[in-house]
Structure formats: structure tokens, C-alpha cells
Amino acid sequence: MRKLISTGSPFEVSIGYSRAIVCDGWVFVAGTTGYDYATMTMPANVADQCRNALMTIEAALAEAGAGMADVTRVRYILPDPGDWPECWPVTSVVFGNIRPAATMISAGLQEPEMKIEIEVTARLPG
């Protein structure tokens, strides 16, 4: 059984993807950038973008029946790897005790104002 989860982002419809998919006890959350989807604004600061992305991910996981503690894998994608250390205080608050497998990749993102994109995989509890 597959369950699709949406944030209502216009990108999901125009590009053709779901924020998350629940399948066979797993939750796959798509690459998530730092937009505030309530206002469709993007903070200039990478740490604020990281925080927003993690909040969007947390909401998608909650809708799936999981939480941040259920994350087993996280991928961070940043155009500028020099920005990565600014995100550590944010990521350590969320994942410091959970300690999922993690990778940081440097690559271009869809829009120039995007400084980080985060993708996670989680296992449903129980």
C-alpha cells in the first residue's frame, strides 16, 4: 500500500512529486528546501533554511505516522559546502541523539536562493 503526502507546495504539482510516500513500513521524504510554505518565502540565511526544511520534514513524517526519532537516513545537499558548518547547530538539535546515517553532498539546486535541500528516510514505529 502506498500513501502520498503533500505539503501543498506548487512545486509538487508542477514538477510531479509528493513531499513524502509511505510504503511497506517506510517513509521516504523528498528533497525539502527551506521555503516557508505558509508565505512561500525563502530566508536568506542557510541555518534558517535548514530549520525550515526540517520543520517541513517533521510535519510530513507526522502525517505519515512517524517522527524525527524514526529517521534512519538523511541526505544534505548544499551548493556551497562552506555553508555546511552553519547548519550543524540546527541539525545537531534535531538529530544529535537519533544519529541517523547521513551524507552531505555538494550540488546545484533548483533555484539560486536555495542554500540547502534535505531528504530523509524513516521507518514507521512499531
Side-chain angles (χ1 to χ4, degrees), residues 50 54 74-78 84 87 91-92 95 100-106 116-119:
C50 182
L54 290 169
V74 60
R75 287 180 191 90
Y76 304 98
I77 306 159
L78 293 93
W84 180 221
C87 298
T91 61
S92 68
F95 293 122
T103 302
M104 190 286 283
I105 300 166
S106 179
I116 188 167
E117 186 168 332
I118 305 170
E119 173 185 311

Side-chain angles (χ1 to χ4, degrees), residues 1 8 18 20 30 40-41 43 51 57 67 73 89 104 108-109 114 117:
M1 181 180 129
S18 294
M40 283 307 293
T41 59
R51 191 172 294 105
I57 289 167
R73 180 87 163 120
M104 190 286 283
L109 298 178
M114 295 174 176
E117 186 168 332

Side-chain angles (χ1 to χ4, degrees), residues 31-54:
T32 304
T33 61
Y35 278 106
D36 175 338
Y37 288 105
T39 63
M40 283 307 293
T41 59
M42 177 74 76
N45 178 283
V46 68
D48 291 336
Q49 288 188 26
C50 182
R51 191 172 294 105
N52 282 358
L54 290 169

